[in-house]
Amino acid sequence: MAAPPPVPLLLAEPGEAWGGPRLFQAALDALRGAPAPVHVVAAFGPRGSGKSFLLDQLAGPGGAFPSSPGLWLRCCWHPTQPGHALVLLDAAGFPAPGDEEEDEEDPWFLQLLVLQLLLASVFVYSSGAAAEPQEELERLTYVRALPRRLRLLEAEEEEEDEEDEGSLLRTVLPPFVWSLHGAAAAPEDEAVLEAEGHELWAALGPPPGPEAPVARRVLALFPEHKLFRLEAGGAGGLPELCAHLLGCGPKTGLSGEPVGGAYLAALAERAAEALCGAEPLRVARLCREAEEVAWQQDEAEDVTKLWCGDEVTQLDAAEARWGGGDGKGDGSGDAGKWQELGDAWQSDAASQWDINAWLGDTMTDEDVNAWLRDARTKEDATNARCGGDGDTQRDVNARHGDAIKEEDEVEIWSGGAATQRDVNLSKGAAQQDANTGHGDTVTEEDATNAWCGGDGDAQRDVNAHHGDAVKEEDEVEIWSGGAATQRDVTARCGDTPEAMPRPKGGAMGAPKCLVQNGPNGKLSLNPEVLEVLRGIGQPVVVVAIAGRYRTGKSFLMNRLAQQQTGFPLGHTVQAETKGIWMWCLPHPCRADTTLVLLDTEGLWDPDKGDSRNDAWIFTLALLLSSTLVYNSTGTIDQQALENLGVVTALTDRVRVRAGDSRDAAAADFMRFFPGFVWAVRDFVLELSVDGRRVNEDEYLEHVLRLQPGSSRVVQEQNELRRCLRDFFPNRKCFVLPLPAEPEAMKHLEELKEGQLRPRFLQQADAFCRHIWDTAPVKALPGQVAVTGSMLASLAERYVEAIGSSGVLCLESAVTALAAAENTAAVAAAVAEYRRRMERELKLPTASQEELGDAHQRCERRALALFMARVFADKEQRYQCQLMSELEAAKEEFCRRNEAASEERCRAVLQELWRDVERRLDRGEYAVPGGSRRFQEHLGELMEKYHQRPGLGVKAAAVLEKFLQEHEVLVRALCAADQHLSEHEKERVASEAVAAAAAAAKAATEEAVRAMEARQEEQRRSREEHQRQLEEQLWHQQWVMLEEQERVIKHKLQEQEALLKEGFEREAEALREQIRKLQKEKEEMKKPSWIQWALDGLGIAADIILPGLTRVAVSGALRLFRRK
């Protein structure tokens, strides 16, 4: 069977002096074979830092990474996410200060760093502990040059300020993980680090200043920052690090969609070319070019089919990859190795020897020491290029049981005769097969996870793999209701809160009617089907098909569903589909995504007679979908275009904003409308124009050319063509011949694959592959991913608007949806905060600061959860609501903490007072000298009271009240003590008063400290809210600029086309639109609107967090305390 090469391959080495890196074709071919989604872990660090060893642990059995110059690559299947690929990148270690080879002017290591950052989905900085941790981080000096070497935007668009550009770069750079080897930390410091989720800032302490330029740059450039400490000479900390790296998300493109190896290979090639020059690399341009190359390559070569051989499922490949077999076994794999995998990764007590044994390595203790202290010789380094320690690559292969050459491995990895349909079918393998491959028993929970796009394992199994021993109430909840960017919501590491909604329901066994078309033409939603859609918490790819009745739309949708039957097919002249039918299925190529297919009622059905109803059906399908397929028969002639006349009516029925004119609405439609695919059925002609052969897309563009002339007929014809060109900038065309012989067409759904014409199968598979690979997730403006529940809400608002006003306002629908979703986001975030606080706090706390620290951690997580879901919150109304509710929840915990402290303190005092009370009852203090003895016993009581643990924040206040309650008793005993002189009575009384005053002062100081702690908590809360808001706003700015650039690019292309077609007046009108768009873009680039939002949030915080306005009171109390 075909499998990834089990040995590392050299991807890049230094080129000519001061030139760019030289890439190797074998490694590029292996990389191209990786299907989407692919996870890329890149490791960078000084020599002897253990980065190669770390990557070997992630890769599993196979050739070890050599310690030689260059950038090495290894491709394999992901060990915890079936169907996902894992790519590991190991860069040559850079010289440490003092090394003979050290050369600060050598650009090679900066080029390595840039190449890794562009390709990685998570970046690991691996270092030893030769110096202080802060000094180890400062050795990563190459990071300081990144803002000069990497630029997100083009030269005319970029910000002059390097800091602003850094804020933009953090939207595309991967998470930063620091692996610190051999670093001994105090237990309390390690506990803080674990409690903070291994956040780097928790170990760095105060924000780094100018003396730590690398730390400041790391915190500014990268979106996430983690630190994992690994024990010297053992495996302590390694399982947690590996679990975190394997739990990170896949590599995504600019759109946020997962990419495959073809994209990565193209990006590597373009980055290598750009690194040859001194100009900064324009990241957005490189990514767009890589996407285009990947798409073209997929269409031309069917690259993804090269991953697996014929009739081999991805499960088989993964099984062979771990078990070393041929993929034809029973799916159980090597049980012993799986057990050792669990033991080694789930237990911190696993020794390094156990991990090596699992990998099949014969590593000795000296090897472990070499990993930690770099005891390699120059001879070792020389041999490492050939496999390490004097072995040739053939020896390395033989040691791992491989009997094939490296070039054979690459060919097998990149070869195979499987069609794209085979690959997709393998991705849709039964859940039972997937679980069998992992040795799991299939349960109902597994089926639910399969529907949710997971790997089919029960969530409890996932937690167990990551070494989590969580209680049932702490188990991971699945949540997919947020935006595409899940910056701080680490679902795979058990961090997703119970407050998040769990996707309900399962895959639909058959299509059902979503939009009902009543006899009077009134549209209504089917409540039962709407609930199915509402239960989907994952992002949805929505593909709708429209066209004339009886043209085979349903047959094409069944092909997309990979089913022979589903949407009903008729064999008479009557239309079969009424209204809009929906079928929800797990996406065949993307994890954690649902494919929603919408089959619409045919247009121009003579039995219906109401063209307005047709227009609304078409409009609904268009607005709900992320890709719209228009299905027609024959050729794209004038009649076919006229049948699409409903497009021109969109300007009368749809508005972007309330009050927009017809022309203003049309100018913004492309921001909301889906991609457009024209499927031409029963096509029998040759694709040629003016005697020149053309492809399908060129055929469509030729048909959409404006026609010369000024007559009314020509004007109407050109209006339709102009609408199609303006509204749908992303257009695609497929021509499909007749599926079968005419006499067999009436029983089309009963025909086997072999009875369909080969040319039709080829074109139908190309159509399906295009939809599966490129149809995007349904998104709102700002790249807000739409879930099934959000799509249900949009459908409700659209149908309601059709029935009431007859005009759809897109912005109003989005605003109403945002109100509902943002309200839910606030509730989920507050619930998550309460859940975490309940778990972390043990009341009463020793101090207000302890409660404040827990509050800060829980608030940060809750706020990150909220930020991942909120959208269209232009005035930060919902964030202010969240701030207010979190403050109220914190105050509730403070009151509970104080009550628990008071109860504890009163119980302790009551216990200690019993002895004194018994003495009082026996009359021991009613004798001469009894008052003095009472004072001594009272002093002992106070001393024992202060020694008791767990008194909490009200210890001094409760003691003050206690002494006040017994002050009368002290005076009475003094007055009754005949042994004391008047002077002594006064002195004893004054001592009692002094003790009470001291207790009162302590209580006042305690209250002041508590108030100051709360003020500090509120200050940190405001800073955290502003910090996360600023991150989100910078990301929004980048998204807005990308969207604006896309619109401008389309308008420029359209202007060029108009000039070529001779329509200069229309081109001039378009030029004015382009100037306006460019002016709007310049306004978007200004940071003033971001600062305005931050200032507004700060003003709101001063009102919501009253402690921020009580500084004067705090100062007065501090002055009183010093007196």
Side-chain angles (χ1 to χ4, degrees), residues 137 165 358 378 686 697 956 1073:
L137 185 59
E165 180 62 28
W358 171 71
K378 290 185 177 180
E686 287 189 2
D697 294 338
Q1073 290 186 31

Side-chain angles (χ1 to χ4, degrees), residues 113-135:
L113 177 63
V114 168
L115 199 56
Q116 283 192 304
L117 291 177
L118 290 176
L119 299 178
S121 58
V122 57
F123 173 79
V124 181
Y125 171 54
S126 180
S127 73
E132 291 294 324
Q134 185 69 46
E135 296 179 19

